[in-house]
C-alpha cells in the first residue's frame, strides 16, 4: 500500500507545497549525516517553519503509520539522522528563531534548528554565553545537541548539554505536544526531560528548547604545552585534576593529529611534539592567576618541553584553530577515516592510548588521536584508504577494538556522538539483553509503535513493533510485577 503519496498530499495541503520535498534528486541532499558511509534516501522530507507545522507533520506520520526521523544540521557522527527509506525526514533547519534571551533568568528559549554558536552570540551583549561547545558549534543545531547530549571542549568544567537544558517542548510520536521541565532548575516528578536529552530522536522531536546561560568569565587564560609522548601529556592531565584544579578545558592531540592540523591550518604548534595539551582556565582573575601557576608547574613536572601562553585573543584563537579543525584536517593526510568516539576514566588515558597504538600497528592502520583529555572523552581517527582492498575492513576492526578497550577500562562506547545506527551493534557488548529491554520500556512509553527514528540506538529486532516484534519471554521486571510490556 502506498502510504507516502497520500501523506505527501496531506502535508502539502496542510503546510503548503514548499515545505515538502519528494523529488528523489533533491532528497539526496539528506541521504546521510556526518557519517557518510551510511546513505539512505528518505521517501519524503518535510521542512516545517514553526512549532505548529512540525507538530502537524508528526501527527500526519502517526496517522499514516509512517516512520519519521528528525534532522537538525546533519553533522552527527553516528548516523543518528540517517533517514528511513520508507519514512519522512523532518528537517528543522528553517526553525531558527531565538525566541527569547532572558539574562535576568539566565535562560534563552530557542527553536531547535538554531545553531549552537548563535545562542552565545545572542547572549553576548548581556555578558552571557551558552557553555556546551561541540567542535561543530559553528554548524550543529541545538535540537541535535539535545538529542545527542552533546559535549565539547568546555564540558569538563561546565557539564554536557543535559546540564544546560531546563525545558523543552516536544512533539511525541503520536503528534501530541508536551512540555518537559521549564525555566526552573528542577521540576517535581520523574525527570522526563533528563530521559529526553540524549535519546537520539527516539522519543519524539523537540520544537522549542530552554537553555541555561552562563555568565561570561572575568578572565580566560590559555596554555599550549608540548610533550614528547602521550603518556606524559596524559599524566599531566591527571596531575592537574588531582591537584583540585578544574580547567575549563584540557584537550589533547597526538603527533599524527598535529601533523594533520599543521597541514590544514598552519597553527604553528611546537615542532617535534609527540602530544600537545591545550589547557584553558577561566573565572575570577585572582583565582585564574593562582591556578595557572599551578598548571604550568604540573606540566613542567610531567616533562613538557615547551609551554606557550596565549598573549592575546588572536593567539588563543590560533591554539584552538588547530584543535577545532583537526577532524576535517585529517582529510589532508588520509583519503578516508572513521571518527571514533568512546570514553574512559581519565586515569586510564596513558595505558589506553598506548594500547590504541599497539592495535593500530598490529592491523597496519594509522590512528590519530584528538580528544577531550580532561573528561577522558576519546576521539581516535582511524585512517584508511577505501581504494586499497581490505583497508576499510581493517579500519572497522581497529575501530571496534578501541570500543572494546573503552569498555574493558570501565568506560563506554560513546562519549558524546551518540549510538545512532553505527554503534547499535556494540550496545550488547556493554548491556545485557535485559538492560536493553528495560531501556526499551522507556521508549515504549513514548513511542509504542516505534515510529520515531526506528533502527537507531538499539540493535534490532527488539521491542515495540521494531520488526519482527517483541522480545520472546518475560522481562525480569515483569516477572517481579514491576512493569508491563506494552
Ligand atoms: C567536525 C565535527 C566536530 C564535532 N565535534 C563534536 C564535539 O566536540 N562534541 C560533540 O558532542 N559532538 C561533536 N560532533 C558531532 C555533532 O556535531 C553533534 O552530535 C551535534 O549535536 C549534532 O547536531 P546536528 O544538528 O547536526 O544533528 P543531526 O546530525 O541532524 O542529528 C543528530 C541526532 O539528533 C536527532 N535530532 C535532531 N534534531 C532533533 C530534534 N529537534 N528533536 C529530537 N531529535 C533531534 C536526530 O534524529 C539524530 O538522531 C562533531 C561533528 C563534526 C562533523
Amino acid at each position: 500500500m502506498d502510504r507516502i503519496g497520500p501523506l505527501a498530499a496531506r502535508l502539502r495541503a496542510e503546510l503548503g507545497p514548499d515545505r515538502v520535498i519528494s523529488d528523489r534528486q533533491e532528497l539526496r541532499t539528506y541521504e546521510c549525516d556526518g557519517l557518510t558511509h551510511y546513505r539512505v534516501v528518505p521517501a519524503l522530507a518535510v521542512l516545517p517553519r514553526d512549532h505548529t507545522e512540525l507538530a502537524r507533520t508528526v501527527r500526519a506520520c502517526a496517522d499514516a503509520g509512517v516512520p519519521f526521523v528528525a534532522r537538525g544540521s546533519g553533522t552527527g557522527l553516528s548516523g543518528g539522522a540517517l533517514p528511513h527509506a520508507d519514512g519522512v525526514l523532518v528537517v528543522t533547519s528553517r526553525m531558527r528563531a531565538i525566541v527569547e534571551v532572558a539574562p535576568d533568568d539566565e535562560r534563552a528559549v530557542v527553536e531547535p534548528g538554531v545553531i549552537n554558536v548563535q545562542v552565545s552570540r545572542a547572549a553576548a551583549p548581556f555578558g552571557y554565553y551558552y557553555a556546551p561547545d561541540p567542535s561543530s558549534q559553528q554548524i550543529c543545531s541545538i535540537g541535535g545537541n539535545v538529542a545527542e547530549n552533546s559535549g565539547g571542549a568546555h564540558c569538563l568544567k561546565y557539564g554536557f548539554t543535559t546540564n544546560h537544558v531546563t525545558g523543552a517542548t516536544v512533539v511525541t510520536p503520536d503528534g501530541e505536544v508536551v512540555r518537559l521541565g521549564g525555566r526552573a532548575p528542577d521540576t517535581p516528578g520523574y525527570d522526563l526531560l533528563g530521559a529526553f536529552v540524549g535519546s537520539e530522536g527516539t522519543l519524539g522531536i523537540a520544537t522549542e528548547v530552554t537553555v541555561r546561560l552562563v555568565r561570561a568569565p572575568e578572565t580566560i587564560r590559555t596554555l599550549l604545552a608540548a610533550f614528547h609522548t602521550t603518556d606524559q601529556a596524559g599524566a599531566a592531565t591527571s596531575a592537574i585534576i588531582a591537584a583540585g584544579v578544574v580547567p575549563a578545558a584540557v584537550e589533547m592531540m597526538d603527533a599524527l593529529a598535529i601533523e594533520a592540523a599543521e597541514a590544514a591550518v598552519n597553527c604553528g604548534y611546537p615542532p617535534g611534539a609527540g602530544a600537545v595539551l591545550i589547557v584553558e582556565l577561566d573565572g575570577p582573575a585572582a583565582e585564574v592567576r593562582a591556578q595557572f601557576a599551578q598548571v604550568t608547574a604540573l606540566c613542567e613536572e610531567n616533562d613538557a618541553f615547551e609551554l606557550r601562553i596565549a598573549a592575546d585573543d588572536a593567539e588563543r584563537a590560533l591554539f584552538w584553530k588547530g584543535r577545532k579543525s583537526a577532524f576535517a584536517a585529517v582529510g589532508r593526510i588520509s583519503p578516508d577515516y572513521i571518527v571514533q568516539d568512546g570514553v574512559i576514566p581519565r586515569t586510564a588515558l596513558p595505558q589506553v592510548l598506548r594500547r590504541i597504538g599497539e592495535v593500530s600497528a598490529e592491523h597496519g592502520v594509522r590512528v590519530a588521536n584528538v580528544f577531550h583529555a580532561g573528561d577522558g572523552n576519546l576521539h581516535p581517527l582511524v585512517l584508511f584508504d577505501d581504494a586499497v582492498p581490505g583497508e576499510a575492513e581493517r579500519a572497522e576492526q581497529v575501530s571496534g577494538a578501541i570500543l572494546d578497550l573503552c569498555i574493558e577500562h570501565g568506560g563506554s562506547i560513546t562519549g558524546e556522538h551518540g549510538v545512532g545506527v553505527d554503534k547499535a551493534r556494540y550496545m550488547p557488548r556493554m548491556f545485557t539483553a535485559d538492560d536493553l529491554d528495560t531501556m526499551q520500556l522507556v521508549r515504549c512509553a513514548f513511542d509504542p509503535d516505534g515510529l520515531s527514528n526506528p533502527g537507531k540506538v538499539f540493535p534490532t529486532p527488539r521491542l515495540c513493533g521494531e520488526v519482527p516484534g517483541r522480545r520472546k519471554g518475560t522481562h525480569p521486571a515483569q516477572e517481579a510485577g514491576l512493569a508491563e510490556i506494552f
Side-chain angles (χ1 to χ4, degrees), residues 226-244:
F227 300 82
H228 290 298
T229 67
T230 51
D231 271 18
Q232 292 164 342
T237 305
S238 290
I240 292 166
I241 309 281

Side-chain angles (χ1 to χ4, degrees), residues 70 72-77 80 134-136 141 144-145 147-148 150-151 200 206 416-417:
S73 302
T75 67
L77 290 169
S135 301
S136 51
S141 76
N145 292 175
E148 299 290 5
S150 287
E200 302 191 27
E416 52 183 12
H417 294 172

